[in-house]
Amino acid sequence: MDLTLLFTDWTSFIFIAFSLITLIQLYYYWGLFSKLAFFKKYEKEKSQQHPVSVIVCARDEAGNLAKNLPGLLVQQYPSTHEIIVVNHNSQDDTRYLLDEFKKTFKGLHAVNLEQEAIGIPGKKYPLSIGIKEAKYEILLLTDADCVPASENWLQLMQEGYDEGIEVVLGYGSYNKKPGLLNKLIRFETFHSGLQYLSYAAAGMPYMGVGRNLSYKKTLFFNNKGFSSINHLPGGDDDLFINKVATKNNTRIVIDPEAFTLSEPAKNFGNWFRQKTRHYSTARYYKGLHKFLLGMYNVSFFLFYPLFVASILLFDWRLALGVFALRFISQAIIFNKTMKKLQEQDLFSLWWFFDLWMFIYYCIFAPALWKRPNNHWT
């Protein structure tokens, strides 16, 4: 057997595999992510202000509520609305803090829960109680550690509703801080937003984030709430949306004034635990969503090893040419989407963060199979 021919065939196979992986990546950037990059606001036949119930669940969140609750209470929304805070068995000063806020803000409704829900981990039980207590059909959800980016958050999020719309997805960003960890967290958040908002814009919504999410009360009860996922600690946002969101009933709102802002984790350990909880629910997504997300992750993971192998074992000029196609595509899509999501300060280092995501997938891949802990999230 001609060993030279065998070696040449083997190196050709590596380059072909690299080219196919790149082609898959280009499909995601131009076939899906471009939906967000070139997204234009939906045109509505008529403008309407809907009555809205804003719901926040809190456990031992007195410090965050003192800082962030005023941002909800001073929303510039002339139509009927209420702010519901579900105090879930807090042992700190949350109850007393809410009592003080109620003296000034009559639209604040505090629901104090004194007992745990046996067999229902996480915040699905207090959130269900908050939804049950809500007076209005449109529910707008956020977390105690979040604050709206502007006083127009409520107005802009409810504008996403139109004929047949039952779910509105928003973007939850993190505050900009100095340091590499902050940028890594914000890029991962941007990358996640790039995916779920693009999928929704393409007619394949698969998740939302509880920091900035809206849906109708009847949609919740018609689907028996969280009954199918009550045994899981998470999923009150992504798994519920994965179940009920469709091509025709979901919209996205990406106006910068409609974002929410949160404080990022201060160390890698806390961030690791947070992301591990999030990824532990991905196995329960619908089959199509798992396939598309999995194919993107696998192609991303294989791209750099195959690129290096093609450079070393094949024609480096051809390998660089294929690499350039993805590089330019990423630059265009990232530049446009980072501007839309107010993360444009990350663009100068997007190539570094792209390399980091290879390491990121190595770190967090085991979370897809790890059994989640039954902790409040």
Side-chain angles (χ1 to χ4, degrees):
M1 179 181 290
D2 190 338
L3 294 179
T4 303
L5 180 61
L6 178 62
F7 183 75
T8 302
D9 289 343
W10 175 248
T11 58
S12 297
F13 173 79
I14 290 176
F15 177 72
I16 291 171
F18 172 57
S19 299
L20 289 175
I21 288 297
T22 303
L23 187 62
I24 292 173
Q25 285 275 291
L26 292 176
Y27 161 74
Y28 281 93
Y29 282 103
W30 291 111
L32 286 175
F33 302 157
S34 64
K35 302 295 185 182
L36 181 63
F38 300 98
F39 178 79
K40 294 183 179 180
K41 186 177 180 180
Y42 299 104
E43 294 296 331
K44 297 178 62 174
E45 293 184 1
K46 60 179 180 179
S47 180
Q48 183 177 354
Q49 288 186 326
H50 307 272
V52 179
S53 294
V54 179
I55 304 176
V56 179
C57 297
R59 165 176 275 179
D60 296 330
E61 297 274 14
N64 282 325
L65 288 172
K67 180 173 60 175
N68 298 324
L69 189 54
L72 297 176
L73 297 171
V74 299
Q75 287 292 299
Q76 298 298 307
Y77 190 65
S79 186
T80 305
H81 67 284
E82 62 177 346
I83 310 295
I84 300 174
V85 178
V86 184
N87 175 21
H88 187 209
N89 198 33
S90 294
Q91 302 302 306
D92 63 1
D93 294 331
T94 295
R95 177 192 286 266
Y96 308 107
L97 179 71
L98 293 175
D99 287 341
E100 288 300 313
F101 272 117
K102 286 167 62 177
K103 293 177 182 178
T104 304
F105 300 96
K106 304 304 180 185
L108 174 62
H109 176 37
V111 179
N112 294 297
L113 304 181
E114 303 293 345
Q115 296 180 337
E116 299 283 353
I118 299 175
I120 307 179
K123 68 177 183 181
K124 289 185 288 295
Y125 171 66
L127 181 53
S128 298
I129 296 299
I131 292 173
K132 183 178 180 181
E133 291 287 324
K135 297 178 182 177
Y136 308 120
E137 171 68 357
I138 290 182
L139 311 172
L140 182 52
L141 314 180
T142 189
D143 291 336
D145 62 350
C146 300
V147 64
S150 77
E151 295 179 351
N152 299 313
W153 169 70
L154 199 163
Q155 168 71 37
L156 292 167
M157 285 297 291
Q158 67 87 39
E159 283 182 359
Y161 285 95
D162 203 355
E163 184 72 25
I165 300 302
E166 298 177 289
V167 178
V168 176
L169 307 179
Y171 181 63
S173 184
Y174 284 99
N175 289 319
K176 296 177 175 64
K177 303 283 185 179
L180 179 60
L181 178 61
N182 177 264
K183 289 181 171 59
L184 293 177
I185 291 173
R186 288 174 46 231
F187 181 80
E188 189 280 330
T189 301
F190 157 77
H191 193 255
S192 177
L194 171 67
Q195 293 182 80
Y196 78 81
L197 293 170
S198 294
Y199 273 68
M204 295 184 290
Y206 72 90
M207 67 164 278
V209 291
R211 302 189 301 274
N212 197 4
L213 174 63
S214 181
Y215 48 80
K216 290 189 174 181
K217 186 175 180 179
T218 52
L219 180 71
F220 180 81
F221 285 113
N222 287 343
N223 285 275
K224 300 181 180 179
F226 302 125
S227 60
S228 63
I229 55 173
N230 271 337
H231 61 291
L232 301 171
D236 53 275
D237 46 11
D238 60 341
L239 289 184
F240 180 72
I241 295 303
N242 193 261
K243 176 183 177 181
V244 305
T246 69
K247 174 182 179 180
N248 297 318
N249 77 349
T250 304
R251 279 192 177 169
I252 65 173
V253 173
I254 56 170
D255 189 305
E257 291 192 345
F259 297 165
T260 59
L261 299 171
S262 306
E263 283 295 315
K266 293 181 172 59
N267 58 69
F268 186 84
N270 289 339
W271 184 46
F272 179 82
R273 287 187 288 273
Q274 181 185 33
K275 299 312 299 181
T276 298
R277 288 196 301 268
H278 170 74
Y279 285 117
S280 66
T281 61
R283 74 184 80 171
Y284 302 103
Y285 288 177
K286 293 176 182 176
L288 175 63
H289 300 144
K290 286 193 290 186
F291 172 76
L292 289 173
L293 292 168
M295 186 165 66
Y296 174 72
N297 292 341
V298 170
S299 65
F300 196 112
F301 181 79
L302 293 176
F303 178 81
Y304 281 106
L306 287 174
F307 170 59
V308 173
S310 296
I311 286 285
L312 297 176
L313 302 175
F314 196 71
D315 189 325
W316 63 269
R317 292 163 296 186
L318 289 176
L320 281 178
V322 173
F323 179 87
L325 289 176
R326 179 181 181 268
F327 186 89
I328 294 170
S329 297
Q330 277 186 304
I332 294 171
I333 298 299
F334 279 3
N335 184 48
K336 288 187 172 294
T337 50
M338 284 178 174
K339 287 180 179 178
K340 277 184 164 58
L341 300 181
Q342 298 291 287
E343 308 285 11
Q344 56 264 48
D345 64 301
L346 299 175
F347 182 70
S348 62
L349 290 174
W350 71 264
W351 52 271
F352 166 77
F353 296 128
D354 191 59
L355 286 168
W356 152 252
M357 289 303 293
F358 172 78
I359 302 173
Y360 175 89
Y361 283 127
C362 294
I363 294 173
F364 289 103
L368 296 173
W369 297 276
K370 184 178 179 182
R371 183 179 178 86
N373 294 321
N374 292 343
H375 293 159
W376 170 275
T377 59

